[in-house]
């Protein structure tokens, strides 16, 4: 899709919706990048419906889509900066957005995963089942989504990373894992 969008916008930028005064090369890069970003929720829902979401193939497809989206959204932020704005979302510099995204990813997949793994036994011991763990997972997922949206990356990326960190814990009961899976499948995925 990237090269198709780049070619189409390069050959006929006005036919693809470019407004007057916008550099044709920057517009072509914008359109190509927008076309290359995958629809992660649609991919996840499709894999769930096919029953292969938790398979090795499903994990490879989801991991590839997340990497593609991360690269796409970071590239998209850089291209938006080329439109003349020195800053992107909420006045944050593009370099800061890239650094914050990479830092958040590294934190969630290392220290965040460890903290969640340590917190789950305490939550299960001191809250009612399954409400305590579900509330914890939902709250962390929404915080992850809100943070990535605030820094200028799609909210689904943050929620997905938090979901990976929570789902990886061996302290998560299988029944709770099933309830979270059903909740995500029937509430968030559609």
């Amino acid at each position: 899709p990237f090269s198709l969008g780049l070619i189409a916008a390069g050959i006929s930028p006005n036919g693809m919706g470019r407004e007057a005064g916008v550099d044709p090369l920057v517009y072509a890069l914008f359109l190509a990048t927008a076309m290359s970003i995958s629809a992660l929720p649609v991919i996840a829902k499709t894999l769930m419906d096919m029953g292969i979401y938790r398979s090795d193939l499903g994990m490879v497809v989801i991991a590839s889509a997340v990497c593609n989206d991360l690269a796409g959204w970071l590239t998209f932020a850089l291209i938006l900066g080329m439109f003349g704005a020195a800053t992107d979302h909420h006045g944050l510099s593009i370099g800061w957005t890239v650094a914050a995204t990479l830092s958040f990813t590294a934190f969630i997949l290392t220290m965040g995963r460890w903290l969640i793994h340590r917190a789950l036994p305490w939550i299960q011991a001191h809250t009612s089942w399954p409400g305590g763990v579900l509330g914890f997972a939902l709250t962390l997922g929404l915080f992850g989504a809100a943070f990535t949206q605030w820094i200028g990356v799609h909210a689904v990326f943050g929620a997905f990373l938090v979901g990976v960190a929570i789902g990886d814990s061996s302290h998560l009961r299988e029944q709770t894992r099933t309830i979270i899976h059903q909740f995500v499948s029937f509430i968030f995925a559609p």
Side-chain angles (χ1 to χ4, degrees), residues 116-136:
I116 290 168
H117 183 72
R118 301 288 289 174
L120 277 175
W122 186 89
I123 291 169
Q124 290 174 345
H126 294 89
T127 61
S128 63
W129 181 87
V133 176
L134 293 177
F136 176 70

Side-chain angles (χ1 to χ4, degrees), residues 13 15 23 26 47-48 57 59 71 87 89 98 110-111 114 124 148 152 156 161 174-175 178:
D23 180 19
V26 175
L47 292 173
M48 286 179 199
L57 175 64
M59 290 296 110
T87 59
H89 197 64
V98 171
T110 56
M111 189 66 168
W114 181 81
Q124 290 174 345
T148 54
V156 171
L161 286 178
E174 193 57 41
Q175 290 174 320
T178 301

